[in-house]
Amino acid sequence: MNAVLGVSGSIAAYRAADLARELMRAGFTVRVCLTDAAQEFVSVALFEALTGQPCLIDTFDEPERGRMAHIDWARAADVVVVAPATANTLNRLAAGVGDDMLTTLCLASTRPLVLAPAMNPQMYLHEATQASLALLEERGAVIVEPLEGDVACGESGQGKLASIPEIVAAVLETVSVSTVLKGKKVVITSGPTREPIDDVRYITNRSSGKMGSALARAALRLGADVTVVAGPQTARFPSGVSVLRVETAQEMHDLALTAAKGADYIVGAAAVADYHVANRTSGKLRRTAENLELVLSPNPDIIAALAAANPGATVIGFAAEPTSDLSVAQAKLKRKGLFAIAANDVSQAGQGFDTDTNKLDLVFADGRSVSSEMMSKNQCARWFWDQILKES
Ligand code: CTP
């Protein structure tokens, strides 16, 4: 296996030498890319001697003449690890800036990205850094959180590079689980639906599609062939996921039933509108002094229809409930003929609609349940697939 180790200019750069060795012990061929600032702390000679591989430093470096190293290295890598990752490097990665070899290589890479930040605690807490970390994590990067403690600049707080064993474990987990769902077809419904009132207005809900996107990303990471039937949502999907866009529940129903043929896993993460407007007006409804009555007719239950049409698939639903009582979710699971249902208590802060975090209770048909911690939606999605794979 090949790892690209990006080293940026933190005092912790000296610890990247140990990390390179430990990654080699874990079976990786390690090729190191140093930023200019990293070279103020550590040298090319150190890493070339340690790894037995050439280092990349300048965007136009070509260890093999005529071959574009940023593309070659990005293609050959099984994983890209940036440790230590400084605030500047994280912010450039989040913005998609490619103004040196490391950031250019990361832009050219489709491989898993593991980031181990190390910096002054204030720089870590800065809104720009936190926003970049959130964005990178949303895109699927694995963040190995820095530790609390005294940092080299004399301050105390969160900013110390995580331990080398912890970084190596995160890298191994990222690459080693990537074939568990190989050859498996996963279909996910995601986001809200929109039910038109007239040609310019609609009924919808607060779903952002972030959980569906995280589930798709995690399944892709596990090697699955992933299709998402996505309502109009803001969350992005990583390349490699096939995204089928729909607006209404009826469209989602029709497309999902076709897409799910032969699926091994079907996940209903969409917040489907339960009703559509039966007396929809074409054109634009005009304001009058009278009351306006909308007639709402029930939409099909998509996940129930998917479960009925695909008896060979493992079908899992979601249930956003304003309560911690799991009996409501359990009843839904039975009613819809599901293998399991992931309940989240949306009466609690940080869980459910349009948040970056979530906490799930996964309830199985036999009544057993397992609960996650409060985690980022990406971590929650990885937890979700771990549990489903254990049980199915
Ligand atoms: N679901 C669906 N089609 C619908 C409604 C819900 O596929 N028309 C799916 C959701 O994607 C989710 C699960 O069913 O996986 C539970 O959704 P939820 O809205 O909680 O359940 P409802 O059936 O709408 O029940 P209630 O209105 O009682 O909450």
Side-chain angles (χ1 to χ4, degrees), residues 6-17 34-42 47 82-90 102 116-120 123 146 151-153 159-162:
V7 181
S8 58
S10 148
I11 298 165
Y14 76 96
R15 293 178 56 205
L34 297 166
T35 64
D36 283 349
Q39 289 177 80
E40 300 288 329
F41 299 99
V42 286
F47 285 102
V82 183
T86 59
N88 184 36
T89 295
L90 291 171
L102 178 58
M119 66 198 73
N120 164 280
M123 291 171 85
V151 291
C153 52
K160 282 166 75 80
L161 185 70

Side-chain angles (χ1 to χ4, degrees), residues 157-180:
Q158 191 175 8
K160 282 166 75 80
L161 185 70
S163 74
I164 302 303
E166 199 190 334
I167 300 171
V168 174
V171 173
L172 284 174
E173 193 195 316
T174 306
V175 291
S176 65
V177 291
S178 60
T179 56
V180 184

Side-chain angles (χ1 to χ4, degrees), residues 189 268-270 272-274 300-303 317-321 332 335-336:
T189 67
V272 183
D274 287 331
D301 189 323
I302 300 170
I303 202 75
F318 270 73
E321 298 295 344
K332 271 187 194 173
R335 193 170 76 229
K336 294 169 189 261

Side-chain angles (χ1 to χ4, degrees), residues 3-140:
V4 169
L5 172 59
V7 181
S8 58
S10 148
I11 298 165
Y14 76 96
R15 293 178 56 205
D18 261 352
L19 178 59
R21 291 299 295 200
E22 290 306 319
L23 288 172
M24 287 164 70
R25 280 203 185 98
F28 289 95
T29 300
V30 179
R31 300 206 275 189
V32 177
C33 180
L34 297 166
T35 64
D36 283 349
Q39 289 177 80
E40 300 288 329
F41 299 99
V42 286
S43 72
V44 167
L46 169 69
F47 285 102
E48 290 192 341
L50 274 176
T51 62
Q53 300 287 333
C55 281
L56 287 184
I57 42 174
D58 185 81
T59 312
F60 297 97
D61 278 348
E62 278 184 4
E64 280 181 77
R65 271 185 74 84
R67 302 212 44 100
M68 283 184 278
H70 65 287
I71 304 288
D72 269 6
W73 281 35
R75 275 197 198 131
D78 295 288
V79 60
V80 177
V81 188
V82 183
T86 59
N88 184 36
T89 295
L90 291 171
N91 293 332
R92 287 182 302 139
L93 287 175
V97 172
D99 60 354
D100 65 5
M101 189 46 140
L102 178 58
T103 48
T104 307
L105 194 150
C106 287
L107 270 178
S109 166
T110 56
R111 309 308 299 164
L113 180 62
V114 178
L115 301 167
M119 66 198 73
N120 164 280
Q122 282 312 318
M123 291 171 85
Y124 183 68
L125 286 177
H126 194 283
E127 281 176 2
T129 314
Q130 288 302 313
S132 294
L133 281 166
L135 183 57
L136 288 160
E137 189 167 45
E138 192 188 313
R139 287 190 206 140

